[in-house]
Amino acid sequence: MVGVSTKSLYGVAAMHALYNSPRNKLMQIKEIAAMTQISHGYLEQILSNLKKHGFVVSIRGANGGYKLATDASSIIVLDIIEALEGELFVAGQNVGASVVLDSFWKDIQEKVRAVFHVKLSELDKAYATYFYEI
């Protein structure tokens, strides 16, 4: 089954909160947790992983916190998910033992990956219109 785990949902939510911080201001974990409703401990683990993959930087100290490591226009949601989970959808080679089934799974893999190929900076714009159409 194809799905996105809570870890990925929370990771994208945390990145979105950092993106929306005023003028790329450092945000403390407690601020991000309050905005996203993610537990402090779990958020700490997620941010540590995102830092290890180069998505966020952290500054220690009383005025420290987290911020995006690069411009949000260069961060793809798919990359965030795969940093936290590994490859999103893997269609094994020769799963179906036929050219037709192998092509089918490869096509599905490409479509799933395309759904998440959205820039962090475009999430608000891309989906704001969706909610106004409902």
Side-chain angles (χ1 to χ4, degrees):
M1 181 170 120
V2 176
V4 177
S5 74
T6 303
K7 183 192 296 185
S8 292
L9 294 173
Y10 288 171
V12 172
M15 293 289 289
H16 188 254
L18 290 170
Y19 165 65
N20 283 309
S21 70
R23 291 187 296 261
N24 206 18
K25 149 188 156 345
L26 290 171
M27 291 185 72
Q28 295 182 349
I29 289 180
K30 65 183 178 183
E31 293 175 287
I32 302 167
M35 287 178 69
T36 59
Q37 302 299 307
I38 303 169
S39 76
H40 187 278
Y42 197 32
L43 183 58
E44 207 166 27
Q45 292 174 21
I46 290 169
L47 288 171
S48 175
N49 202 339
L50 291 171
K51 179 181 176 184
K52 183 171 51 174
H53 284 89
F55 289 102
V56 298
V57 293
S58 65
I59 308 288
R60 298 185 110 157
N63 295 322
Y66 288 86
K67 69 177 185 173
L68 297 179
T70 61
D71 188 72
S73 63
S74 66
I75 300 172
I76 305 297
V77 171
L78 176 65
D79 296 336
I80 298 168
I81 293 169
E82 289 187 337
L84 295 169
E85 301 287 342
E87 196 168 351
L88 181 63
F89 182 88
V90 179
Q93 296 297 325
N94 299 318
V95 170
S98 78
V99 173
V100 171
L101 291 177
D102 289 345
S103 296
F104 169 74
W105 289 116
K106 185 172 176 22
D107 184 50
I108 294 296
Q109 179 182 24
E110 290 170 6
K111 288 177 180 172
V112 168
R113 294 178 64 76
V115 166
F116 293 101
H117 199 274
V118 177
K119 294 177 182 177
L120 184 63
S121 62
E122 294 176 355
L123 278 176
D124 292 335
K125 184 174 81 173
Y127 292 96
T129 56
Y130 169 78
F131 289 110
Y132 290 121
E133 291 174 0
I134 294 179

